[in-house]
């Protein structure tokens, strides 16, 4: 399965979720994490890491990734693609290369309105390839119902919202700073990311 983390809005958690989802999947399968963002967050993350990992991470900031994805991903059971915010051509290539699009969105009205651009691009691509897309609520404030409210508003876009919400937790930046995943620490975030991966696999 090839998953692309996509959103035109910056800082919504594409790289955070891409690295954690890829890391989680790599515990049971051969996984390739492809960083198509020239900013290279996923590459920085793996390069900071000192511990061994089974996860393979490469940089591939090419807009024609969909033409090469079969060759690149042949040896892997799962591929996770991290994408940039500001290059529609790179994002388009990543969507065309994927089997599923995962759209992280923060539960605030501004973020929900801003996601329209991403949904429009996905719908435009459906003329060429009908790639299913889902929203993932990320950075929900613990013990608030804003995630539920956000899910209801997001429903108007006509794409499903995953039941698992990822909360705002300091362990995400903390673990990333040493190239690790929240899954390597005992934390609420670990439980949420485990649930998220199970839900994504069951789609
Ligand atoms: N659930 C979370 N809890 C706490 N911090 C988070 C969470 N998700 C993301 N962050 C933090 O938010 C910031 C932006 O996240 P990230 O870099 O993953 O977003 P992005 O969508 O990849 O951004 P860009 O568009 O610049 O590539 C980072 O500092 C990250 O550590
Ligand atoms: Mg990023």
């Amino acid at each position: 399965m090839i998953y692309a983390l996509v959103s035109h809005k910056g800082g919504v958690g594409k790289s955070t979720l891409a690295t954690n989802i890829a890391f989680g999947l790599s515990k049971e399968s051969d996984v390739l994490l492809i960083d198509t963002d020239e900013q290279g967050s996923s590459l920085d993350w793996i390069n900071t890491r000192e511990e061994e990992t089974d996860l393979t991470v490469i940089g591939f900031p090419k807009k024609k990734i969909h033409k090469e994805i079969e060759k690149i991903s042949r040896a892997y059971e799962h591929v996770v693609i991290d994408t940039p915010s500001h290059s529609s051509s790179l994002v388009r290539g990543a969507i065309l290369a994927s089997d599923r699009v995962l759209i992280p969105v923060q539960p605030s009205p501004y973020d929900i309105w801003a996601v329209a651009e991403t949904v429009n691009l996905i719908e435009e691509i459906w003329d060429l390839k009908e790639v299913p897309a889902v929203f993932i609520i990320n950075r929900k404030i613990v013990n608030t119902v804003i995630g539920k409210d956000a899910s209801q508003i997001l429903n108007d876009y006509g794409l499903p919202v995953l039941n698992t919400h990822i909360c705002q937790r300091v362990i995400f930046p903390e673990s990333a700073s040493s190239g690790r995943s929240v899954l390597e620490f005992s934390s609420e975030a670990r439980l949420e990311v485990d649930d998220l991966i199970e839900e994504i696999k069951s789609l």
Side-chain angles (χ1 to χ4, degrees):
M1 238 343 158
I2 304 176
Y3 303 100
L5 274 293
V6 168
S7 171
H8 286 82
K9 186 135 176 52
V12 293
K14 295 180 289 294
S15 303
T16 300
L17 295 181
T19 50
N20 279 286
I21 292 169
F23 186 89
L25 290 170
S26 75
K27 289 193 289 185
E28 324 178 319
S29 343
D30 288 331
V31 178
L32 175 66
L33 171 57
I34 305 178
D35 196 343
T36 63
D37 188 352
E38 273 154 358
Q39 187 176 247
S41 302
S42 291
L43 278 178
D44 286 342
W45 171 77
I46 201 70
N47 285 333
T48 313
R49 186 177 176 90
E50 288 184 355
E51 295 80 8
E52 292 277 304
T53 168
D54 293 329
L55 177 64
T56 307
V57 187
I58 61 165
F60 200 86
K62 292 191 189 169
K63 58 185 182 193
K64 297 244 163 86
I65 185 172
H66 53 292
K67 306 248 183 210
E68 298 186 55
I69 192 71
E70 205 190 313
K71 196 171 60 192
I72 308 167
S73 63
R74 210 171 276 155
Y76 299 91
E77 199 173 328
H78 295 292
V79 177
V80 178
I81 309 178
D82 185 13
T83 66
S85 304
H86 295 298
S87 167
S88 278
S89 54
L90 285 171
V91 176
R92 179 188 297 271
I95 295 172
L96 281 168
S98 68
D99 301 312
R100 269 191 212 291
V101 175
L102 309 174
I103 314 165
V105 55
Q106 297 183 62
S108 93
Y110 304 113
D111 289 75
I112 292 169
W113 296 326
V115 91
E117 191 183 350
T118 304
V119 174
N120 288 343
L121 177 64
I122 293 166
E123 288 178 349
E124 203 184 294
I125 290 171
W126 281 350
D127 288 340
L128 300 170
K129 180 181 173 186
E130 214 164 301
V131 194
V134 297
F135 293 115
I136 302 174
I137 304 272
N138 183 36
R139 304 189 81 165
K140 185 178 100 166
I141 305 300
V142 181
N143 295 328
T144 62
V145 292
I146 188 116
K148 205 169 151 210
D149 296 347
S151 297
Q152 278 162 3
I153 307 171
L154 283 167
N155 279 333
D156 290 344
Y157 283 113
L159 300 178
V161 184
L162 295 191
N163 293 323
T164 312
H165 297 169
I166 304 296
C167 288
Q168 165 85 21
R169 297 185 196 277
V170 72
I171 189 77
F172 281 98
E174 267 176 9
S175 57
S177 67
S178 55
R180 287 188 284 176
S181 160
V182 297
L183 297 170
E184 295 172 275
F185 300 88
S186 169
S187 67
E188 293 289 320
R190 179 169 92 181
L191 302 177
E192 287 171 0
V193 172
D194 272 336
D195 286 351
L196 178 67
I197 291 171
E198 283 313 307
E199 190 174 359
I200 288 169
K201 284 192 337 202
S202 74
L203 287 171

Coordinates of all heavy atoms in Angstrom, one line a residue, residues 14-15 37 39 41 82-83, ligand 2:
K14 N 2.2 16.8 8.5 CA 2.5 15.8 7.4 C 3.7 15.0 7.8 O 3.7 13.7 7.7 CB 2.7 16.5 6.0 CG 1.5 17.2 5.5 CD 1.7 17.8 4.2 CE 2.6 19.1 4.3 NZ 2.1 20.2 5.0
S15 N 4.8 15.7 8.1 CA 6.1 14.9 8.4 C 6.0 14.2 9.7 O 6.5 13.1 9.8 CB 7.3 15.9 8.4 OG 7.3 16.6 7.2
D37 N 9.7 16.4 -0.1 CA 9.8 17.8 0.2 C 11.3 18.2 0.2 O 12.1 17.6 0.9 CB 9.2 18.0 1.6 CG 9.1 19.5 2.0 OD1 9.6 20.3 1.3 OD2 8.5 19.7 3.1
Q39 N 12.5 20.6 1.6 CA 12.9 20.9 3.0 C 13.5 19.7 3.8 O 14.3 19.9 4.7 CB 11.5 21.4 3.7 CG 11.7 22.0 5.0 CD 10.3 22.4 5.5 OE1 10.0 23.6 5.7 NE2 9.4 21.5 5.7
S41 N 12.3 17.2 5.8 CA 12.1 17.0 7.3 C 12.2 15.5 7.6 O 12.8 15.1 8.6 CB 10.7 17.4 7.7 OG 10.5 18.8 7.4
D82 N 6.0 11.6 2.2 CA 5.8 12.9 2.9 C 5.9 13.9 1.8 O 6.8 13.8 0.9 CB 7.0 13.0 3.9 CG 6.9 14.3 4.7 OD1 5.8 15.0 4.7 OD2 7.9 14.7 5.4
T83 N 5.0 14.9 1.8 CA 5.0 15.9 0.7 C 5.1 17.3 1.2 O 4.9 17.6 2.4 CB 3.6 15.8 -0.1 OG1 2.6 16.2 0.8 CG2 3.4 14.4 -0.6
Ligands
LIG2 MG1 6.8 18.5 6.4

